Amino acid sequence: MAVLTLSWAVILTAAASFAPGFASAFSTTHSTYRIPATVQNEPAYVRFEVDTPGGILGIQSRQSLDAPMLDSINSSVFDWWYFDAVSLDDPRESLVLTFFTATADAFPFLDSTQKSVLIAYAWASFSNGSSWAGYLPATLATVDIGGDGEADGNVSSGMWEDTGFRWNASKEDLSAYEISVDSPELDVKGTLSFTSRAPPHLPCGIKSDTTPLQIAPHIGWVNLVPDAVGSVDVTIRGTQLKFEGAAYHDKNWSDRNFTESVRSWYWGHGRLGAYSIVWFSYLAINDLTNTTYVSSYVARDGEILVDACDVSLLTVRPTGSPNTTGSRYPPYVGDIPDGFKLDFVLEENKRLRVNVSTESKVAGDGEYYMRWTGSITGEMVEEMGMDSSSKSLVRESSLTGVAVFEQFHMLERGSS
Ligand SMILES: *[C@@H]1O[C@H](CO)[C@@H](O)[C@H](O)[C@H]1NC(C)=O
Ligand SMILES: *[C@@H]1O[C@H](CO)[C@@H](O)[C@H](O)[C@H]1NC(C)=O
Ligand SMILES: *[C@@H]1O[C@H](CO)[C@@H](O)[C@H](O)[C@H]1NC(C)=O
Ligand SMILES: *[C@@H]1O[C@H](CO)[C@@H](O)[C@H](O)[C@H]1NC(C)=O
Ligand SMILES: *[C@@H]1O[C@H](CO)[C@@H](O)[C@H](O)[C@H]1NC(C)=O
Ligand SMILES: *[C@@H]1O[C@H](CO)[C@@H](O)[C@H](O)[C@H]1NC(C)=O
Ligand SMILES: *[C@@H]1O[C@H](CO)[C@@H](O)[C@H](O)[C@H]1NC(C)=O
Ligand SMILES: *[C@@H]1O[C@H](CO)[C@@H](O)[C@H](O)[C@H]1NC(C)=O
Ligand SMILES: *[C@@H]1O[C@H](CO)[C@@H](O)[C@H](O)[C@H]1NC(C)=O
């Protein structure tokens, strides 16, 4: 078992293992990463690709996507593991658990008074429309990656010491996880467990030999579990939150601070009848080319229909009440939509059109950052004919479901 301490002292070892040979070196060993709580004052080596020989995301490569993507955490980089679930019966009920390795300098939505770069965060929302959030700093994070889950140890597990937060993958192919919290300090105890129902999603799909992991410049993203059958049973300050729902796991990271990259960011995932959907649409700050970055994912009963980043394949727009700036696009700080309109282009002239409506506010400051849960409706249409007289034929209508989604608006009105 290789033990990697994420600090400057072992940067050469760690950098070597992040190099292109990473996956194969990986296949023979199980690695334990120990991430210190103190911010490092050194350049961090970032990983933005994965080996996918023959266009296949093999088991070792897949496992490597749950490893730390930076070899040290300095004040301008971030890396985190995100897990959520939203109730299928009542989308106001949700739970989000995030394991951060970042400072508030790098990701401004963290508490700037915290000294530890290791923050375990929980957000919950209840059927009466209220929400709760709490977090704790860890003294050390341990991430275990690789192997077959038996003699070799954990396939993917993370423990943020002294917080009571941990995750553990219970299947070798990372198709099932259990995330648990046992924190007397927050007065929270329980688990989120799930089994995947859709294959992993990488920003632009899986390519031959090497697959890039940047969804936009300097922003790494892997979505190991786009949709899962989830089960939540957690007691939060005496209230039990228990539901079955659509669960999700991704990971995002960057080699520079968030505000240096982002102008606007829309992301969400949902379950719509037999469909699993994930959307991402992004504008970079100070981008003279005004490029839109998207990532689109639709699976039906676990079979991928689209998994791509071509900007023509997905349109995400905010919707809002008349006489508000809610639907303004491109958006500015403080624009708060009522929902979103999504237009996914699938093959064979088919489109999945989805309306997303906010129901509960789960997190955010009402200006720069918001996270909601809500209900979604959709229809599958087929465009008949090639010219302007083409008609749309509704193939499936009245699809309904639930979603978790968020926005970041980082540009002030009046700035350029
Ligand atoms: C942190 O790492 C990034 C990426 O390597 C680098 O650009 C930045 O200068 C580093 N910051 C410090 C304080 O070393
Ligand atoms: C982010 O990085 C930029 C450029 O290095 C710097 O000007 C800015 O102060 C940083 N932001 C924060 C919050 O540290
Ligand atoms: C809503 O439910 C939560 C959790 O049970 C509780 O803490 C809160 O007081 C309730 N709010 C209202 C307005 O009833
Ligand atoms: C495996 O994961 C469990 C649960 O997260 C943890 O208690 C245990 O320490 C991990 N094992 C190793 C060898 O790290
Ligand atoms: C974590 O999952 C592995 C299988 O991948 C299992 O062997 C181990 O017992 C689990 N640990 C805990 C604490 O659940
Ligand atoms: C990034 O992280 C957030 C957590 O703040 C998560 O909700 C989202 O899925 C991630 N999305 C992307 C595209 O990186
Ligand atoms: C930037 O691109 C967006 C999306 O295509 C478009 O709505 C907007 O008008 C463009 N803005 C400028 C200044 O070109
Ligand atoms: C929006 O503003 C226009 C013009 O000021 C006004 O006529 C209209 O009634 C307003 N609509 C709503 C829904 O407030
Ligand atoms: C989405 O909302 C628009 C109006 O806001 C409506 O015309 C359309 O039928 C809705 N589509 C679906 C699939 O619910």
Side-chain angles (χ1 to χ4, degrees), residues 80 82 221 248 250 252 265 267 280 406:
W80 66 74
Y82 171 96
W221 184 56
Y248 174 95
D250 74 8
N252 41 35
W265 170 314
W267 161 88
F280 178 79
E406 67 186 6

Side-chain angles (χ1 to χ4, degrees), residues 178-198:
E178 184 167 291
I179 306 94
S180 55
V181 182
D182 183 354
S183 169
E185 207 170 334
L186 295 177
D187 195 4
V188 175
K189 186 170 163 58
T191 57
L192 156 61
S193 49
F194 57 79
T195 300
S196 181
R197 67 190 300 279

